[in-house]
Structure formats: structure tokens, C-alpha cells
Coordinates of all heavy atoms in Angstrom, one line a residue:
M258 N 0.8 -1.2 0.0 CA 0.0 0.0 0.0 C 0.9 1.2 0.0 O 1.9 1.3 0.6 CB -0.9 0.0 1.2 CG -1.9 1.1 1.3 SD -3.0 0.9 2.6 CE -3.4 2.6 2.9
L259 N 0.4 2.2 -0.7 CA 1.2 3.5 -0.8 C 0.9 4.3 0.5 O -0.2 4.5 0.9 CB 0.7 4.3 -2.0 CG 1.0 3.7 -3.4 CD1 0.3 4.4 -4.4 CD2 2.5 3.6 -3.7
T260 N 2.0 4.9 1.0 CA 1.9 5.8 2.1 C 2.3 7.1 1.7 O 3.1 7.3 0.8 CB 2.7 5.3 3.3 OG1 4.1 5.2 2.9 CG2 2.3 3.9 3.8
N261 N 1.7 8.2 2.4 CA 2.0 9.5 2.0 C 1.7 9.9 0.6 O 2.3 10.7 0.0 CB 3.5 9.9 2.3 CG 3.8 9.8 3.8 OD1 3.0 10.1 4.6 ND2 5.0 9.3 4.1
Y262 N 0.7 9.3 0.1 CA 0.1 9.6 -1.2 C -1.4 9.9 -1.0 O -2.0 9.5 -0.1 CB 0.3 8.5 -2.2 CG 1.7 8.3 -2.6 CD1 2.6 7.5 -2.0 CD2 2.3 9.1 -3.7 CE1 3.9 7.4 -2.4 CE2 3.6 9.0 -4.0 CZ 4.4 8.2 -3.4 OH 5.7 8.1 -3.7
Y263 N -1.9 10.7 -2.0 CA -3.2 11.2 -1.8 C -4.0 10.9 -3.0 O -3.5 10.8 -4.2 CB -3.2 12.7 -1.6 CG -2.3 13.1 -0.4 CD1 -1.0 13.2 -0.4 CD2 -2.9 13.1 0.9 CE1 -0.2 13.4 0.7 CE2 -2.2 13.3 2.0 CZ -0.8 13.5 1.9 OH -0.1 13.7 3.0
R264 N -5.3 10.7 -2.8 CA -6.2 10.3 -3.9 C -7.0 11.6 -4.4 O -6.9 12.6 -3.9 CB -7.3 9.3 -3.4 CG -6.7 8.1 -2.8 CD -7.7 7.2 -2.1 NE -8.3 8.0 -1.0 CZ -9.5 8.0 -0.6 NH1 -10.4 7.2 -1.2 NH2 -10.0 8.7 0.3
L265 N -7.6 11.4 -5.5 CA -8.4 12.4 -6.1 C -9.5 12.9 -5.1 O -9.7 14.2 -5.1 CB -9.2 11.9 -7.4 CG -9.8 12.8 -8.3 CD1 -8.7 13.8 -8.9 CD2 -10.4 12.1 -9.5
Q266 N -10.0 12.1 -4.3 CA -11.0 12.5 -3.3 C -10.4 13.5 -2.3 O -11.1 14.4 -1.8 CB -11.5 11.3 -2.5 CG -12.4 10.4 -3.4 CD -13.7 11.1 -3.8 OE1 -14.1 12.1 -3.3 NE2 -14.3 10.5 -4.8
D267 N -9.1 13.4 -2.0 CA -8.4 14.3 -1.1 C -8.4 15.7 -1.7 O -8.5 16.7 -1.0 CB -7.0 13.8 -0.8 CG -7.1 12.5 -0.1 OD1 -7.9 12.3 0.8 OD2 -6.2 11.6 -0.4
I268 N -8.2 15.8 -3.0 CA -8.3 17.1 -3.7 C -9.7 17.6 -3.7 O -9.9 18.8 -3.4 CB -7.7 17.0 -5.1 CG1 -6.2 16.6 -5.1 CG2 -7.9 18.3 -5.9 CD1 -5.6 16.3 -6.4
L269 N -10.6 16.8 -4.0 CA -12.0 17.2 -4.1 C -12.6 17.8 -2.8 O -13.4 18.6 -2.8 CB -12.9 16.1 -4.6 CG -12.6 15.6 -6.1 CD1 -13.4 14.4 -6.4 CD2 -12.8 16.7 -7.1
K270 N -12.1 17.2 -1.7 CA -12.5 17.7 -0.4 C -12.1 19.2 -0.1 O -12.7 19.9 0.7 CB -11.9 16.9 0.7 CG -12.5 15.5 0.8 CD -11.8 14.7 1.9 CE -12.2 13.2 1.9 NZ -11.4 12.4 2.9
R271 N -11.1 19.6 -0.9 CA -10.6 21.0 -0.6 C -10.9 22.0 -1.7 O -10.5 23.2 -1.5 CB -9.0 20.9 -0.5 CG -8.7 20.0 0.7 CD -7.2 19.9 1.0 NE -6.6 21.2 1.1 CZ -5.3 21.3 0.9 NH1 -4.5 20.3 0.8 NH2 -4.7 22.5 1.0
I272 N -11.6 21.6 -2.7 CA -12.0 22.6 -3.7 C -13.5 22.4 -4.0 O -14.1 21.4 -3.7 CB -11.2 22.4 -5.0 CG1 -11.4 21.0 -5.6 CG2 -9.7 22.7 -4.8 CD1 -10.8 20.8 -7.0
D273 N -14.0 23.4 -4.7 CA -15.5 23.3 -5.0 C -15.7 22.9 -6.5 O -16.1 23.6 -7.3 CB -16.1 24.7 -4.8 CG -17.6 24.7 -5.0 OD1 -18.2 23.7 -4.8 OD2 -18.1 25.8 -5.4
R274 N -15.3 21.7 -6.8 CA -15.4 21.1 -8.1 C -15.8 19.6 -7.9 O -15.6 19.0 -6.9 CB -14.2 21.2 -8.9 CG -13.7 22.6 -9.2 CD -14.7 23.4 -10.0 NE -14.1 24.7 -10.3 CZ -14.2 25.8 -9.5 NH1 -14.8 25.7 -8.3 NH2 -13.8 26.9 -9.9
N275 N -16.2 19.0 -9.0 CA -16.5 17.6 -8.9 C -15.5 16.7 -9.7 O -14.6 17.2 -10.4 CB -18.0 17.3 -9.5 CG -18.1 17.6 -10.9 OD1 -17.2 17.4 -11.7 ND2 -19.2 18.2 -11.3
K276 N -15.6 15.4 -9.5 CA -14.6 14.5 -10.0 C -14.5 14.6 -11.6 O -13.4 14.6 -12.1 CB -15.0 13.1 -9.6 CG -14.0 12.0 -10.1 CD -14.4 10.7 -9.6 CE -13.5 9.6 -10.2 NZ -13.9 8.3 -9.7
T277 N -15.7 14.7 -12.2 CA -15.7 14.7 -13.7 C -14.9 15.9 -14.2 O -14.2 15.8 -15.2 CB -17.2 14.8 -14.2 OG1 -17.9 13.7 -13.7 CG2 -17.2 14.8 -15.7
T278 N -15.0 17.1 -13.5 CA -14.3 18.3 -13.9 C -12.8 18.1 -13.8 O -12.1 18.4 -14.7 CB -14.7 19.5 -13.0 OG1 -16.1 19.7 -13.2 CG2 -14.0 20.7 -13.4
L279 N -12.4 17.5 -12.7 CA -10.9 17.3 -12.5 C -10.4 16.3 -13.5 O -9.3 16.5 -14.1 CB -10.6 16.8 -11.1 CG -10.1 17.9 -10.2 CD1 -11.0 19.0 -10.0 CD2 -9.6 17.3 -8.9
L280 N -11.1 15.2 -13.8 CA -10.7 14.3 -14.8 C -10.6 14.9 -16.2 O -9.7 14.6 -17.0 CB -11.7 13.1 -14.8 CG -11.7 12.2 -13.6 CD1 -12.7 11.1 -13.7 CD2 -10.3 11.7 -13.2
R281 N -11.6 15.8 -16.5 CA -11.5 16.5 -17.8 C -10.3 17.4 -17.9 O -9.6 17.4 -18.9 CB -12.8 17.3 -18.0 CG -12.8 18.1 -19.3 CD -14.1 18.8 -19.6 NE -14.7 19.4 -18.4 CZ -14.4 20.7 -18.1 NH1 -13.6 21.4 -18.8 NH2 -15.0 21.2 -17.0
W282 N -10.0 18.1 -16.8 CA -8.8 19.0 -16.8 C -7.6 18.2 -16.9 O -6.6 18.6 -17.6 CB -8.8 19.8 -15.5 CG -9.8 20.9 -15.4 CD1 -10.6 21.4 -16.4 CD2 -10.2 21.6 -14.2 NE1 -11.4 22.3 -15.9 CE2 -11.2 22.5 -14.5 CE3 -9.8 21.5 -12.9 CZ2 -11.8 23.3 -13.6 CZ3 -10.4 22.3 -11.9 CH2 -11.4 23.2 -12.3
E283 N -7.5 17.0 -16.3 CA -6.3 16.2 -16.5 C -6.2 15.7 -17.9 O -5.1 15.8 -18.5 CB -6.4 14.9 -15.6 CG -5.2 14.0 -15.7 CD -5.3 12.8 -14.8 OE1 -5.3 12.9 -13.5 OE2 -5.5 11.7 -15.3
K284 N -7.3 15.3 -18.5 CA -7.3 14.9 -19.9 C -6.8 16.0 -20.9 O -6.1 15.8 -21.8 CB -8.7 14.4 -20.3 CG -8.7 13.8 -21.7 CD -10.1 13.3 -22.0 CE -10.2 12.8 -23.5 NZ -11.5 12.3 -23.8
E285 N -7.2 17.2 -20.5 CA -6.8 18.4 -21.3 C -5.5 18.9 -20.9 O -5.0 19.9 -21.5 CB -7.9 19.5 -21.1 CG -9.2 19.1 -21.7 CD -10.3 20.1 -21.4 OE1 -10.1 21.1 -20.6 OE2 -11.5 20.0 -21.8
R286 N -4.8 18.3 -20.0 CA -3.5 18.6 -19.5 C -3.4 20.0 -18.8 O -2.4 20.7 -18.9 CB -2.4 18.5 -20.6 CG -2.4 17.2 -21.3 CD -1.5 16.3 -20.6 NE -1.3 15.1 -21.5 CZ -1.0 13.9 -21.0 NH1 -0.7 13.8 -19.7 NH2 -0.9 12.9 -21.8
L287 N -4.6 20.4 -18.3 CA -4.6 21.7 -17.5 C -4.1 21.5 -16.1 O -3.6 22.5 -15.5 CB -6.0 22.2 -17.5 CG -6.6 22.5 -18.9 CD1 -8.1 22.9 -18.7 CD2 -5.9 23.7 -19.5
I288 N -4.1 20.3 -15.6 CA -3.5 19.9 -14.4 C -2.6 18.7 -14.6 O -2.8 18.0 -15.6 CB -4.5 19.6 -13.2 CG1 -5.4 18.4 -13.6 CG2 -5.4 20.8 -12.9 CD1 -6.3 18.0 -12.5
P289 N -1.6 18.5 -13.8 CA -0.7 17.3 -14.0 C -1.5 16.0 -14.0 O -2.5 15.8 -13.3 CB 0.2 17.4 -12.9 CG 0.2 18.8 -12.3 CD -1.2 19.2 -12.6
V290 N -1.0 15.1 -14.9 CA -1.6 13.7 -15.0 C -1.1 13.0 -13.7 O 0.1 13.0 -13.4 CB -1.1 13.0 -16.3 CG1 -1.7 11.6 -16.3 CG2 -1.6 13.8 -17.5
A291 N -2.1 12.3 -13.1 CA -1.8 11.5 -11.9 C -1.0 10.2 -12.2 O -1.2 9.7 -13.3 CB -3.0 11.2 -11.2
K292 N -0.2 9.8 -11.3 CA 0.4 8.5 -11.4 C -0.7 7.5 -11.0 O -1.7 7.8 -10.5 CB 1.5 8.3 -10.4 CG 2.7 9.3 -10.7 CD 3.7 9.2 -9.6 CE 4.7 10.3 -9.6 NZ 4.1 11.6 -9.3
R293 N -0.5 6.2 -11.4 CA -1.5 5.1 -11.1 C -0.8 4.0 -10.3 O 0.3 3.7 -10.4 CB -2.0 4.5 -12.4 CG -2.6 5.5 -13.4 CD -3.9 5.9 -12.9 NE -4.6 6.7 -13.9 CZ -5.8 6.5 -14.4 NH1 -6.4 5.4 -14.1 NH2 -6.3 7.3 -15.3
D294 N -1.6 3.5 -9.4 CA -1.1 2.3 -8.6 C -1.4 1.0 -9.3 O -1.9 1.1 -10.5 CB -1.7 2.3 -7.2 CG -3.2 2.1 -7.1 OD1 -3.8 1.7 -8.2 OD2 -3.8 2.3 -6.0
S295 N -1.2 -0.1 -8.7 CA -1.4 -1.4 -9.4 C -2.8 -1.7 -9.7 O -3.1 -2.5 -10.6 CB -0.8 -2.5 -8.5 OG -1.6 -2.6 -7.3
R296 N -3.8 -1.0 -9.1 CA -5.2 -1.2 -9.4 C -5.6 -0.2 -10.5 O -6.8 -0.2 -10.9 CB -6.0 -1.0 -8.2 CG -5.7 -1.9 -7.1 CD -6.4 -1.5 -5.8 NE -5.7 -0.3 -5.4 CZ -5.9 0.3 -4.2 NH1 -6.7 -0.2 -3.3 NH2 -5.2 1.4 -3.9
G297 N -4.8 0.8 -10.8 CA -5.2 1.8 -11.8 C -5.7 3.0 -11.2 O -6.2 3.9 -11.9
W298 N -5.7 3.1 -9.9 CA -6.3 4.3 -9.2 C -5.3 5.4 -9.2 O -4.0 5.2 -9.1 CB -6.6 3.9 -7.7 CG -7.7 3.0 -7.6 CD1 -8.4 2.3 -8.6 CD2 -8.3 2.5 -6.4 NE1 -9.3 1.5 -8.0 CE2 -9.3 1.6 -6.7 CE3 -8.1 2.8 -5.0 CZ2 -10.1 1.0 -5.7 CZ3 -8.8 2.2 -4.1 CH2 -9.8 1.3 -4.4
R299 N -5.8 6.6 -9.4 CA -4.9 7.8 -9.4 C -4.4 8.1 -8.0 O -5.1 7.9 -7.0 CB -5.7 9.0 -9.9 CG -6.0 9.0 -11.3 CD -7.0 10.1 -11.6 NE -7.2 10.2 -13.1 CZ -8.0 9.4 -13.7 NH1 -8.7 8.5 -13.1 NH2 -8.1 9.5 -15.0
Y300 N -3.1 8.6 -7.9 CA -2.6 9.1 -6.7 C -1.6 10.2 -6.9 O -1.1 10.3 -8.0 CB -1.9 7.9 -5.9 CG -0.6 7.4 -6.4 CD1 0.6 8.0 -6.0 CD2 -0.6 6.4 -7.3 CE1 1.8 7.5 -6.5 CE2 0.6 5.9 -7.8 CZ 1.8 6.4 -7.4 OH 2.9 6.0 -8.0
Y301 N -1.4 11.0 -5.9 CA -0.6 12.2 -6.0 C 0.3 12.3 -4.8 O -0.1 11.8 -3.7 CB -1.5 13.5 -6.0 CG -2.5 13.5 -7.1 CD1 -3.8 12.9 -6.9 CD2 -2.3 14.0 -8.3 CE1 -4.7 12.9 -7.8 CE2 -3.2 14.0 -9.3 CZ -4.5 13.5 -9.1 OH -5.4 13.5 -10.0
T302 N 1.5 12.9 -4.9 CA 2.3 13.3 -3.7 C 1.7 14.5 -3.1 O 0.8 15.2 -3.7 CB 3.7 13.6 -4.1 OG1 3.7 14.8 -5.0 CG2 4.4 12.4 -4.9
W303 N 2.1 14.8 -1.9 CA 1.6 16.0 -1.2 C 1.9 17.3 -2.1 O 1.0 18.1 -2.2 CB 2.3 16.1 0.1 CG 2.0 17.4 0.8 CD1 2.8 18.6 0.9 CD2 0.8 17.8 1.5 NE1 2.1 19.5 1.6 CE2 0.9 19.1 2.0 CE3 -0.4 17.1 1.8 CZ2 -0.1 19.7 2.7 CZ3 -1.4 17.7 2.5 CH2 -1.2 19.0 2.9
E304 N 3.1 17.3 -2.6 CA 3.5 18.5 -3.4 C 2.6 18.6 -4.7 O 2.2 19.7 -5.1 CB 4.9 18.4 -3.9 CG 5.9 18.6 -2.7 CD 6.1 17.3 -1.9 OE1 5.7 16.2 -2.3 OE2 6.7 17.4 -0.8
E305 N 2.3 17.5 -5.4 CA 1.5 17.5 -6.5 C 0.0 18.0 -6.2 O -0.6 18.8 -6.9 CB 1.4 16.1 -7.2 CG 2.7 15.7 -7.8 CD 2.7 14.3 -8.2 OE1 2.0 13.4 -7.6 OE2 3.5 13.9 -9.1
M306 N -0.5 17.4 -5.1 CA -1.8 17.8 -4.6 C -1.9 19.3 -4.3 O -2.8 20.0 -4.7 CB -2.2 16.9 -3.4 CG -3.6 17.3 -2.9 SD -4.2 16.3 -1.5 CE -3.2 17.0 -0.2
E307 N -0.9 19.8 -3.5 CA -0.9 21.2 -3.2 C -0.8 22.1 -4.4 O -1.4 23.1 -4.5 CB 0.2 21.5 -2.2 CG -0.1 20.9 -0.8 CD -1.4 21.5 -0.1 OE1 -1.5 22.7 -0.1 OE2 -2.2 20.7 0.3
G308 N 0.0 21.6 -5.4 CA 0.2 22.4 -6.6 C -1.1 22.5 -7.4 O -1.4 23.6 -7.9
I309 N -1.8 21.4 -7.5 CA -3.1 21.4 -8.2 C -4.1 22.3 -7.5 O -4.8 23.1 -8.2 CB -3.6 19.9 -8.3 CG1 -2.7 19.1 -9.3 CG2 -5.1 19.9 -8.8 CD1 -3.0 17.7 -9.3
I310 N -4.2 22.2 -6.2 CA -5.1 23.0 -5.5 C -4.8 24.5 -5.6 O -5.6 25.3 -5.8 CB -5.1 22.6 -4.0 CG1 -5.8 21.2 -3.9 CG2 -5.9 23.6 -3.1 CD1 -5.6 20.5 -2.5
D311 N -3.5 24.8 -5.5 CA -3.0 26.2 -5.7 C -3.4 26.7 -7.1 O -3.9 27.8 -7.2 CB -1.6 26.3 -5.4 CG -1.1 27.7 -5.6 OD1 -1.6 28.6 -4.9 OD2 -0.2 28.0 -6.4
L312 N -3.1 25.9 -8.1 CA -3.4 26.3 -9.5 C -4.9 26.6 -9.7 O -5.3 27.6 -10.3 CB -3.0 25.2 -10.4 CG -3.2 25.4 -11.9 CD1 -2.4 26.5 -12.4 CD2 -2.9 24.1 -12.7
I313 N -5.7 25.7 -9.1 CA -7.2 25.9 -9.2 C -7.6 27.2 -8.5 O -8.5 27.9 -9.1 CB -7.9 24.6 -8.7 CG1 -7.7 23.5 -9.6 CG2 -9.4 24.9 -8.5 CD1 -8.1 22.1 -9.1
K314 N -7.1 27.4 -7.4 CA -7.5 28.6 -6.6 C -7.1 29.9 -7.2 O -7.7 30.9 -7.0 CB -7.1 28.5 -5.2 CG -7.8 27.4 -4.4 CD -7.4 27.3 -3.0 CE -8.3 26.3 -2.2 NZ -7.8 26.2 -0.8
R315 N -5.9 29.9 -7.9 CA -5.4 31.2 -8.3 C -5.6 31.5 -9.8 O -5.3 32.6 -10.3 CB -3.9 31.3 -8.0 CG -3.0 30.4 -8.7 CD -1.5 30.6 -8.3 NE -0.7 29.5 -8.7 CZ -0.3 29.3 -10.0 NH1 -0.6 30.2 -10.9 NH2 0.4 28.2 -10.3
T316 N -6.1 30.5 -10.6 CA -6.2 30.7 -12.0 C -7.6 31.0 -12.4 O -8.5 30.3 -12.1 CB -5.7 29.4 -12.7 OG1 -4.4 29.1 -12.3 CG2 -5.7 29.5 -14.2
D317 N -7.8 32.1 -13.2 CA -9.1 32.5 -13.6 C -9.8 31.5 -14.4 O -11.0 31.3 -14.4 CB -9.0 33.8 -14.5 CG -8.7 35.0 -13.6 OD1 -8.9 35.0 -12.4 OD2 -8.2 36.0 -14.2
Y318 N -9.0 30.7 -15.2 CA -9.7 29.7 -16.0 C -10.5 28.7 -15.2 O -11.6 28.2 -15.7 CB -8.6 28.8 -16.8 CG -9.2 27.7 -17.6 CD1 -9.8 27.9 -18.8 CD2 -9.3 26.4 -17.0 CE1 -10.4 26.9 -19.5 CE2 -9.9 25.4 -17.7 CZ -10.4 25.6 -19.0 OH -11.0 24.6 -19.6
F319 N -10.1 28.4 -14.0 CA -10.7 27.4 -13.2 C -11.9 28.0 -12.4 O -12.6 27.3 -11.7 CB -9.7 26.8 -12.3 CG -8.7 26.0 -13.0 CD1 -7.4 26.5 -13.1 CD2 -9.0 24.8 -13.6 CE1 -6.4 25.8 -13.7 CE2 -8.0 24.1 -14.3 CZ -6.7 24.6 -14.4
K320 N -12.1 29.3 -12.5 CA -13.3 29.9 -11.7 C -14.6 29.5 -12.4 O -14.7 29.4 -13.6 CB -13.1 31.4 -11.6 CG -12.0 31.8 -10.8 CD -11.9 33.2 -10.5 CE -10.8 33.4 -9.5 NZ -10.2 34.5 -9.2
K321 N -15.6 29.3 -11.6 CA -16.9 28.9 -12.1 C -17.4 30.1 -12.9 O -17.3 31.2 -12.6 CB -17.9 28.6 -11.0 CG -17.6 27.3 -10.4 CD -18.7 27.0 -9.4 CE -18.6 25.6 -8.9 NZ -19.7 25.3 -8.0
K322 N -18.0 29.7 -14.0 CA -18.7 30.7 -14.9 C -20.0 31.1 -14.3 O -20.8 30.2 -13.9 CB -18.8 30.2 -16.3 CG -17.5 29.8 -16.9 CD -17.5 30.0 -18.3 CE -16.2 29.4 -18.9 NZ -15.4 30.3 -19.5
I323 N -20.3 32.4 -14.3 CA -21.6 32.9 -13.7 C -22.6 32.9 -14.8 O -22.4 33.5 -15.9 CB -21.4 34.3 -13.1 CG1 -20.4 34.2 -11.9 CG2 -22.7 34.8 -12.6 CD1 -20.0 35.5 -11.4
K324 N -23.7 32.2 -14.7 CA -24.8 32.2 -15.7 C -25.5 33.5 -15.5 O -25.9 34.0 -14.4 CB -25.7 31.0 -15.5 CG -25.0 29.7 -15.8 CD -26.0 28.6 -15.7 CE -25.3 27.3 -16.0 NZ -26.2 26.2 -16.0
R325 N -25.9 34.1 -16.6 CA -26.6 35.4 -16.6 C -27.9 35.2 -17.3 O -28.1 34.5 -18.2 CB -25.8 36.5 -17.3 CG -24.6 36.8 -16.5 CD -23.8 37.9 -17.2 NE -22.6 38.0 -16.4 CZ -22.1 39.2 -16.1 NH1 -22.7 40.3 -16.4 NH2 -21.0 39.2 -15.4

């Protein structure tokens, strides 16, 4: 088992987005592509997770669009 690694759920708990959105951003290479464990599950180091969260919080692209 991996220790000191974080799952997609750990990122989702800290931002206001859903899993589908993060997977799309990964596919579009807007956020780093996650490593995979033997089961194929995504995982991140602490630094990768914090970098993704920081990018989402400070980048205008990632802000929710306001419907008018």
C-alpha cells in the first residue's frame, strides 16, 4: 500500500469542483496527470496535490462561470 500519497478524493474535499471536472482537466493537461497504482487508481504526492489546489484557486480559467 502506498503511504504519504493522496487520492483524487483528497483534492475534491478541498476545492469546489466535482470528479468529472478534475478528470476533464487532467485529460486536457490543464492539471498534471496523476500516477497510477497497481489497481489503476490515481494518486498524488503532497506536493502535486498542493500544486493542483493552488493552481485551481489562483487561475481565472478554473473559476466557475456565472450564468446570466
Side-chain angles (χ1 to χ4, degrees):
M258 184 170 153
L259 297 170
T260 58
N261 296 324
Y262 287 94
Y263 302 88
R264 300 171 302 143
L265 194 59
Q266 290 297 344
D267 297 317
I268 296 173
L269 295 174
K270 289 177 188 176
R271 296 184 50 199
I272 61 170
D273 184 28
R274 300 296 184 275
N275 62 38
K276 180 178 177 180
T277 304
T278 299
L279 259 60
L280 295 177
R281 179 173 44 86
W282 289 345
E283 181 181 289
K284 183 177 179 180
E285 294 172 358
R286 306 274 188 202
L287 298 171
I288 61 172
V290 176
K292 295 173 195 70
R293 303 286 184 124
D294 67 10
S295 61
R296 299 169 293 192
W298 294 6
R299 289 171 173 79
Y300 70 91
Y301 306 88
T302 64
W303 173 259
E304 291 81 13
E305 291 167 335
M306 181 178 73
E307 288 298 312
I309 290 169
I310 292 167
D311 180 59
L312 180 66
I313 291 167
K314 287 182 176 180
R315 71 177 161 79
T316 305
D317 286 341
Y318 174 84
F319 296 109
K320 291 190 177 167
K321 285 187 173 183
K322 304 213 184 237
I323 299 172
K324 293 184 179 183
R325 295 179 185 227

